[in-house]
Amino acid sequence: MKKSIFNVALLLMTMLLVIGCSSDESAGSSEEGSTEQHVLKLGHVWPNSEIHAQAVEKFKEEVEALTEGKLKIDIYENGSLGNDNELLEGLQIGSADIWVGGAGVLSDSSTTAQIFTVPFMFDSQEHFETVYNGEVGQEISERIADESGNRILSYLTRGSRMLTVDREVNSPEDLSGLKIRVPDSPVFVRSWETLGAAPTPMAFGEVFTALQQGVIDGQENPLSLIYNSKFNEVVDYLIKTEHVREPISIVISDGTFQSLEAELQDALIQAANGEAKAFAAEEVLAGEEGYLTSLEEAGMTIIEPDLSLFQEKLDGFVENQFPEIIEVYEMILSTN
């Protein structure tokens, strides 16, 4: 009898010990859970040969190195997660975590972001860099975060936008009635309307085929994207309008950002302003003449119009059509 009691007691003690060990293991798992790898989905619309697609790879590598693999970035290129607007919407619903693209797309969710695509706002590339890498750029980012819930981690250098079209253009009058593909942004649309064209908003992934089939007469983008998208195969003229200098933005929703530990937040900011930013600036500035030469060798005719004719046509554009951004616009002009 005593032996049976002893055996029961021993069994109970063993069970308690097992339960205690299991509890300890669960607690350990919970603690380990706080150090588990976080995976963020990053989407963009470019082919992987494009400068900023390559910069994104460097951003990914630096994030993962800084966090020793605790934060992983999965890249979805070439619009595989959707077009720019869909990717930006995805930040809010969780289908994407980070979007990298032309900052003007942010104008759908932020009034301040309309500033990014105002034509003929910068006198030079140096003026552009001074604005977006300084206090004015920070002020713009803070306003956009307040208005949209999207946090801009960094601005990357991008070349000025130029027109590629199926005929020679030397003045605004030559644009009359031409269907020019533009991003779906009110500033883009109204500026090209003011110049006399028929702006046609369209997802970037559809542009090559639309040019090929004559659905549109032209499009406008920086040289690197014109070259890497092979637009020279479907239109014959490149017009050096240099009408907009729009930065590339690396954007994360503020909710996703705040859900990360402080060290991971710091790593994202550091990487967004690190090797990727330096690479984009170096490649863009070094490659502009090379792209022009390559496009000319590929058969494109390069036209250098009198830009003052286009600027005069757009005189008073911001004051008359977008007075809500006049304060930021004047801040940019006074920075030069």
Side-chain angles (χ1 to χ4, degrees):
M1 181 69 175
K2 289 181 179 180
K3 186 174 181 181
S4 297
I5 294 172
F6 175 80
N7 287 339
V8 170
L10 183 61
L11 178 61
L12 288 171
M13 288 178 64
T14 302
M15 290 175 67
L16 288 170
L17 182 61
V18 169
I19 292 170
C21 289
S22 298
S23 298
D24 289 343
E25 288 173 4
S26 296
S29 297
S30 177
E31 290 172 6
E32 290 173 7
S34 66
T35 60
E36 284 180 358
Q37 185 183 67
H38 297 263
V39 180
L40 298 180
K41 292 181 289 187
L42 183 155
H44 65 73
V45 301
W46 309 301
N48 58 19
S49 57
E50 211 278 328
I51 287 172
H52 296 95
Q54 295 171 28
V56 164
E57 295 286 349
K58 295 188 178 296
F59 170 67
K60 165 190 168 71
E61 291 167 7
E62 189 167 359
V63 167
E64 293 176 359
L66 287 170
T67 63
E68 298 181 338
K70 187 177 177 183
L71 182 56
K72 184 174 183 293
I73 307 292
D74 283 348
I75 297 173
Y76 296 81
E77 62 187 29
N78 215 22
S80 57
L81 277 185
N83 62 37
D84 282 318
N85 285 317
E86 290 166 343
L87 283 165
L88 195 53
E89 290 170 5
L91 300 188
Q92 304 303 320
I93 63 176
S95 58
D97 299 301
I98 299 174
W99 166 73
V100 184
V105 179
L106 289 159
S107 61
D108 271 356
S109 56
S110 162
T111 298
T112 299
Q114 293 177 139
I115 197 67
F116 292 125
T117 52
V118 169
F120 300 112
M121 185 168 56
F122 294 102
D123 293 335
S124 64
Q125 189 66 30
E126 290 74 22
H127 184 195
F128 171 97
E129 303 290 349
T130 299
V131 167
Y132 289 121
N133 294 327
E135 293 180 4
V136 175
Q138 183 60 37
E139 173 68 19
I140 290 170
S141 296
E142 289 173 2
R143 293 188 185 203
I144 289 171
D146 289 341
E147 292 166 3
S148 69
N150 291 312
R151 177 183 290 261
I152 298 173
L153 297 173
S154 179
Y155 296 109
L156 305 186
T157 298
R158 195 182 202 188
S160 56
R161 299 177 81 96
M162 301 190 193
L163 175 66
T164 61
V165 69
D166 62 2
R167 68 200 69 181
E168 188 170 338
V169 171
N170 289 288
S171 69
E173 287 68 34
D174 296 330
L175 291 169
S176 180
L178 292 186
K179 296 187 293 294
I180 305 300
R181 178 270 172 180
V182 296
D184 190 4
S185 154
V187 178
F188 270 121
V189 170
R190 291 192 207 171
S191 60
W192 284 96
E193 284 176 344
T194 303
L195 288 170
T200 307
M202 181 183 293
F204 180 76
E206 302 170 14
V207 175
F208 186 93
T209 301
L211 287 168
Q212 189 176 48
Q213 296 177 350
V215 175
I216 54 176
D217 301 303
Q219 67 84 51
E220 48 80 62
N221 259 302
L223 286 173
S224 61
L225 200 51
I226 290 169
Y227 177 78
N228 286 301
S229 300
K230 301 182 179 179
F231 290 143
N232 59 283
E233 295 180 2
V234 286
V235 289
D236 295 329
Y237 293 91
L238 186 146
I239 320 300
K240 291 184 66 177
T241 47
E242 302 182 62
H243 52 282
V244 166
R245 295 178 187 271
E246 175 197 17
I248 292 296
S249 53
I250 301 178
V251 180
I252 187 170
S253 79
D254 194 57
T256 299
F257 184 80
Q258 297 297 345
S259 73
L260 298 172
E261 300 162 37
E263 63 176 304
L264 302 185
Q265 294 176 356
D266 291 343
L268 282 172
I269 294 170
Q270 184 176 335
N273 291 278
E275 293 177 17
K277 189 179 183 78
F279 172 83
E282 182 178 346
E283 290 296 311
V284 166
L285 298 178
E288 293 287 276
E289 286 304 317
Y291 285 125
L292 274 176
T293 300
S294 297
L295 288 166
E296 194 166 25
E297 290 174 349
M300 292 199 92
T301 299
I302 312 298
I303 304 292
E304 297 195 33
D306 181 351
L307 296 185
S308 67
L309 300 176
F310 295 82
Q311 292 167 330
E312 287 169 11
K313 193 83 171 178
L314 289 163
D315 188 41
F317 176 73
V318 174
E319 294 90 333
N320 295 330
Q321 302 206 41
F322 294 93
E324 61 272 25
I325 57 170
I326 191 67
E327 180 185 4
V328 176
Y329 178 65
E330 290 176 347
M331 288 167 59
I332 288 173
L333 296 183
S334 64
T335 301
N336 192 21

